[in-house]
């Protein structure tokens, strides 16, 4: 995070328009929403600038498992036959249902599996975020700066 922040050249004005394109190209919009565009699998980033410092924002992107909001935590389920499933509890249905509905693929969050609750041996929060930790590896420092500039430019 420190290296990346230091690499943001103060003489270069970031391009938030390009950042919007990078937001889509890096697949951020598959999970995050900004100003009504994108998905709602992860937090809405429309007002991120008011909630996070630039350091906090970069830390959340680079180390997404460091802090996971309770609403977006995954659970890990181990069944009595030894199978392990990790995902987010799917919305809909009734908590009294005999089956647990679990979305296990962040790229297809509405595809769910059903697990009989009486076959669940262990259920606990997963320490791993659905957000991949290597999303910025494909981007240059200037591109990351543009991406952050876009996120910081909306909602105000």
């Amino acid at each position: 995070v420190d290296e990346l922040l230091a690499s943001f050249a103060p003489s270069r004005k970031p391009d938030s328009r390009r950042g919007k394109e990078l937001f889509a190209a890096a697949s951020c919009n598959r999970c995050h929403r900004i100003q009504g565009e994108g998905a709602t699998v992860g937090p809405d980033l429309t007002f991120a600038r008011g909630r996070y410092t630039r350091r906090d924002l970069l830390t959340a992107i680079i180390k997404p498992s460091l802090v996971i909001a309770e609403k977006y935590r995954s659970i890990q389920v181990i069944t009595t036959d030894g199978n392990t499933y990790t995902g987010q509890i799917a919305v809909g249905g009734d908590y009294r249902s005999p089956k647990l509905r679990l979305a296990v693929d962040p790229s297809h969050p509405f595809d769910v599996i059903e697990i009989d609750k009486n076959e669940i041996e262990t259920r606990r929060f997963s320490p791993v975020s659905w957000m991949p930790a290597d999303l910025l590896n494909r981007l240059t420092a200037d591109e990351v700066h543009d991406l952050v500039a876009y996120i910081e430019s909306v909602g105000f």
Side-chain angles (χ1 to χ4, degrees), residues 9-83:
S11 61
R12 179 186 172 274
K13 184 176 182 336
D15 183 349
S16 61
R17 199 169 312 151
R18 181 176 169 210
K20 183 176 183 177
E21 293 168 4
L22 290 164
F23 190 81
S27 299
C28 303
N29 61 353
R30 295 181 103 191
C31 295
H32 297 281
R33 176 171 284 230
I34 289 185
Q35 293 183 317
E37 294 180 20
T40 57
V41 174
D44 186 320
L45 299 178
T46 302
F47 298 100
R49 178 176 159 196
R51 293 189 312 248
Y52 307 106
T53 65
R54 181 172 288 170
R55 173 179 296 285
D56 292 340
L57 186 59
L58 283 170
T59 300
I61 295 169
I62 293 169
K63 301 175 183 178
S65 295
L66 190 63
V67 176
I68 306 169
E70 188 172 334
K71 181 178 178 180
Y72 302 104
R73 278 193 173 162
S74 295
I75 63 165
Q76 185 178 62
V77 173
I78 301 172
T79 60
T80 53
D81 59 1
N83 289 322

Side-chain angles (χ1 to χ4, degrees), residues 1-8 55 58-59 62-63:
V1 173
D2 290 333
E3 283 179 37
L4 197 51
L5 283 170
S7 74
F8 290 175
R55 173 179 296 285
L58 283 170
T59 300
I62 293 169
K63 301 175 183 178

Side-chain angles (χ1 to χ4, degrees), residues 91-104:
V91 294
D94 188 320
Y95 72 93
R96 296 171 291 198
S97 169
K99 295 188 182 284
L100 173 69
R101 298 179 36 145
L102 197 63
V104 295

Side-chain angles (χ1 to χ4, degrees), residues 3-9 12 18 136 138-148:
E3 283 179 37
L4 197 51
L5 283 170
S7 74
F8 290 175
R12 179 186 172 274
R18 181 176 169 210
L136 298 182
R138 302 177 294 172
L139 304 179
T140 67
D142 284 348
E143 289 173 328
V144 173
H145 198 188
D146 294 343
L147 175 65
V148 170

